[in-house]
Amino acid sequence: MVKLIIMIFIIFINILTFGANTKILDIHDKSLPKIKEEDIPKVPGLPNKDMEEKNNKGEIIGIRKLEKNTTVMMEAQVKVVVPLEILSDIDINTVIIDDEKATVPFDIELNKKPDKENYYKINFSQKDIDIDNDGKVDTKIYSPDYINTKIVKGNYVSVDGANISKEGTHKKTIYMTIGVRE
């Protein structure tokens, strides 16, 4: 019982304190800033009566009859499409001795999973490459026909040492783009 009386007393004190600290806003208070009529936004409305046409002197030269007015509610939607892009740069390094053949796998990372299945593919600026410029194709790039995942696996470069006639370090830059099914 004592706990109940103490709790009621605390609630009563809080109500009195809250009431003492709360200022009630008087809408007729002269210290409030006065709103000017030009600051009130105007809501455009449809005409509801005939309109008088006036010349530049203000004389009525005709009356436009209101036939009807209609309110049309429209909705606008925008579809944002993020293009499919290749995020990864790929550096392939291998050592070929004599007539050795090498297969070097690599993955390609895209910015997102393609939105259509069996629609997009990776295009290479070259797939059959003469890495040492001796007139014989010695390096080939293989890639799946279509890309359907964010990380494209199953890509590889095949190098045939029998077709490389010049010793040394050979470099080639190949560009990748994304194409669509033809």
Side-chain angles (χ1 to χ4, degrees):
M1 182 71 168
V2 174
K3 288 181 183 179
L4 180 63
I5 293 173
I6 292 174
M7 203 158 46
I8 292 173
F9 179 73
I10 291 172
I11 292 172
F12 181 70
I13 293 296
N14 283 334
I15 291 173
L16 287 177
T17 306
F18 178 75
N21 294 332
T22 305
K23 182 180 176 186
I24 298 174
L25 182 63
D26 181 9
I27 60 170
H28 300 291
D29 189 356
K30 303 294 182 207
S31 66
L32 292 175
K34 188 166 183 153
I35 299 174
K36 300 174 191 166
E37 190 169 324
E38 60 264 11
D39 292 338
I40 299 172
K42 304 287 188 262
V43 179
L46 292 174
N48 56 8
K49 60 183 179 180
D50 295 340
M51 189 173 88
E52 297 176 344
E53 279 190 75
K54 297 179 181 180
N55 62 12
N56 51 3
K57 294 179 183 176
E59 300 167 341
I60 298 173
I61 57 172
I63 295 180
R64 290 188 186 180
K65 294 282 186 191
L66 177 65
E67 292 182 21
K68 69 176 187 175
N69 61 18
T70 304
T71 302
V72 177
M73 301 300 287
M74 296 177 61
E75 180 179 332
Q77 293 182 354
V78 176
K79 182 178 180 183
V80 177
V81 178
V82 176
L84 191 59
E85 298 173 345
I86 299 170
L87 296 180
S88 55
D89 287 336
I90 300 160
D91 289 325
I92 297 175
N93 297 307
T94 188
V95 176
I96 305 294
I97 301 173
D98 294 328
D99 293 345
E100 183 181 21
K101 291 185 180 184
T103 301
V104 183
F106 65 94
D107 294 341
I108 300 172
E109 184 180 0
L110 306 172
N111 64 329
K112 64 178 184 174
K113 182 179 184 235
D115 54 352
K116 293 182 183 179
E117 191 117 345
N118 296 328
Y119 186 71
Y120 298 99
K121 59 184 178 177
I122 303 277
N123 292 325
F124 296 91
S125 59
Q126 279 185 283
K127 279 189 153 185
D128 297 327
I129 305 161
D130 177 14
I131 197 91
D132 61 349
N133 297 318
D134 65 354
K136 294 184 234 165
V137 173
D138 44 50
T139 306
K140 292 187 178 193
I141 300 175
Y142 297 93
S143 186
D145 289 337
Y146 296 105
I147 50 178
N148 294 317
T149 58
K150 184 176 178 179
I151 297 179
V152 182
K153 297 182 179 290
N155 307 287
Y156 64 92
V157 173
S158 174
V159 183
D160 185 359
N163 291 338
I164 300 176
S165 61
K166 296 180 184 176
E167 284 188 32
T169 302
H170 304 290
K171 294 183 179 184
K172 192 73 169 183
T173 302
I174 305 297
Y175 298 99
M176 296 181 293
T177 58
I178 295 182
V180 294
R181 181 179 60 206
E182 297 168 355

